[in-house]
């Protein structure tokens, strides 16, 4: 296996830090931390470069907030200068691991994404009568630091790069502690409670490292199970086959394999079904010939849509902002058979009433 050394000087190079800074600020220049950093960008980057080169760099504290969408999640935002460091690191190590990833891993990768994952799942649904749908319990809070570092160290031989990785991992070790529900595995003792684990949702490094970690699962499914039709998006994945008995056998082997990664699947959500009955996947129900949005997704958007409409009528939300948010969902919904649904919801858009109240 090829290993990579002497990466750290390139990661710490000013040109790389400047590129990382520009990438980290995209779409966020109005935020206070960003424009404060930008005001003295050269000095801030030189200071960060010195700390990285002398190994005195220490990440700051996270800002945490809850996001309620399909399921309630804890989102953690690192200080802006730390996000610059994350981008600088990923600029060099992400391409190395990208070459190791399978084609059908779709999360947080260029030219991939949810809609392409849905397209691929539907493609397989047309070809196979049965699917094993699986979902990992508490994926980001469960990722074990020692296992992840071991996977990274098999490829990254530069001790300074591993030191920086250790700093970032340690900074997020406590973020999910209160949310994590302890899972016990064969051979565990009481010290297993104190194993460092968890990646903060919101970090560029977390999204990338989750793919590195779950690439172990991808390789097992491809190399050991020899599953030709498989799609994964973060912790949601589907395997297709002609025989449901094969899928049930694969399920048992997956459960056993994931124990080595200290991960478990939802027992009620990980099951074999007919593709003709529709596959619940990434907020949709995917059939061989059509896609429908899940009812919870439609209900959540409808509630937001009407609440934003009322906020617009009260003058609390600009029309441009409401339009942009609505168009984003409409563009997402347009990837399925939702024309009548979109027409029905948008017909209730109270623009005329709002215009009269503004007059």
């Amino acid at each position: 296996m090829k290993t990579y050394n002497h990466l750290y000087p390139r990661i710490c190079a000013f040109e790389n830090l400047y590129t990382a800074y520009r990438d980290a600020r995209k779409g966020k220049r109005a935020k206070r931390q960003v424009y404060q950093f930008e005001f003295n960008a050269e000095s801030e980057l030189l200071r960060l470069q010195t700390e990285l080169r002398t190994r005195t760099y220490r990440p700051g504290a996270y800002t945490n907030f809850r996001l309620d969408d399909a399921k309630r999640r804890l989102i953690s935002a690192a200080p802006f200068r730390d996000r610059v460091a994350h981008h600088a690191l990923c600029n060099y190590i992400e391409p190395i691991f990208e070459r190791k990833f399978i084609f059908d891993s779709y999360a947080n990768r260029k030219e991939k994404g949810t809609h392409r994952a849905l397209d691929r799942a539907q493609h397989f649904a047309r070809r196979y009568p049965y699917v094993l749908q699986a979902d990992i319990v508490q994926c980001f809070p469960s990722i074990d630091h020692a296992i992840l570092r071991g996977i990274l160290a098999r490829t990254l031989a530069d001790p300074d790069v591993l030191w920086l990785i250790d700093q970032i991992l340690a900074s997020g070790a406590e973020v999910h502690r209160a949310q994590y529900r302890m899972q016990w595995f064969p051979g565990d003792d009481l010290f297993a409670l104190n194993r460092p684990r968890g990646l903060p949702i919101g970090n560029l490094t977390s999204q990338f490292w989750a793919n590195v970690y779950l690439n172990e699962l991808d390789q097992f499914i491809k190399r050991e199970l020899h599953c030709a039709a498989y799609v994964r998006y973060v912790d949601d994945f589907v395997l297709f086959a002609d025989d449901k008995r094969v899928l049930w056998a694969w399920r048992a082997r997956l459960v056993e394999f994931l124990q080595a990664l200290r991960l478990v699947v939802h027992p009620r959500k990980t099951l074999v079904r007919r593709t003709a009955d529709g596959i619940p996947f990434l907020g949709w129900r995917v059939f061989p010939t059509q896609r429908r949005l899940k009812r919870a997704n439609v209900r959540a958007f409808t509630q937001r849509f009407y609440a934003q409409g009322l906020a617009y009528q009260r003058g609390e939300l600009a029309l441009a902002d409401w339009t942009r948010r609505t168009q984003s969902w409409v563009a997402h919904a347009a990837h399925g058979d939702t024309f009548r649904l979109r027409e029905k919801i948008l017909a209730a858009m109270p623009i005329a009433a709002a215009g009269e109240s503004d007059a």
Side-chain angles (χ1 to χ4, degrees), residues 120-139:
R120 189 67 162 165
Q122 189 167 40
H123 167 74
F124 288 138
R126 294 187 183 117
R127 296 179 58 189
Y128 295 91
Y130 298 105
V131 61
L132 168 61
Q133 180 193 7
D135 183 11
I136 295 172
V137 176
Q138 292 188 296
C139 181

Side-chain angles (χ1 to χ4, degrees), residues 305-355:
F305 176 72
Y306 289 126
Q308 290 165 5
L310 292 173
Y312 165 65
Q313 288 182 316
R314 294 192 299 266
E316 299 169 359
L317 181 67
L319 178 60
D321 289 336
W322 186 29
T323 301
R324 175 177 48 79
R325 297 175 189 181
T326 302
Q327 287 175 337
S328 176
W329 183 85
V330 168
H332 169 67
H335 285 268
D337 301 276
T338 61
F339 178 79
R340 291 184 180 179
L341 171 66
R342 286 177 278 140
E343 190 177 52
K344 178 181 178 181
I345 293 175
L346 295 178
M349 197 169 188
I351 295 298

Side-chain angles (χ1 to χ4, degrees), residues 144-147 173 177 182 188 191-197 262:
D144 188 271
H145 288 192
I147 296 173
R177 184 171 290 275
M182 183 63 192
D188 277 354
F191 291 104
L193 284 166
N194 297 321
R195 291 180 69 99
R197 63 175 66 85
R262 302 188 67 82

Side-chain angles (χ1 to χ4, degrees), residues 11 16-38 44-45 48 51-52 57-65 75-92 94 164 167-168 171 200-209:
I11 291 170
N16 183 48
L17 292 175
Y18 184 72
T19 299
Y21 150 67
R22 289 176 63 88
D23 290 340
R25 76 179 185 181
K26 284 179 182 175
K28 302 178 176 66
R29 296 184 73 174
K31 295 186 180 294
R32 183 177 179 182
Q33 276 193 16
V34 180
Y35 68 69
Q36 285 179 336
F37 189 100
E38 191 167 17
E44 292 284 356
L45 290 172
L48 178 59
E51 292 179 13
L52 290 170
Y57 166 74
R58 296 295 182 272
Y62 287 88
T63 300
N64 300 312
F65 59 94
I75 307 298
S76 304
F80 181 72
R81 74 189 306 265
D82 293 338
R83 281 177 262 159
V84 174
H86 299 170
H87 277 270
L89 174 65
C90 288
N91 283 348
Y92 277 94
E94 188 169 351
L164 178 56
Q167 300 306 304
I168 298 171
S171 72
I201 300 174
N203 274 5
L204 174 69
T205 48
S206 297
Q207 298 165 1
F208 165 54
W209 286 337

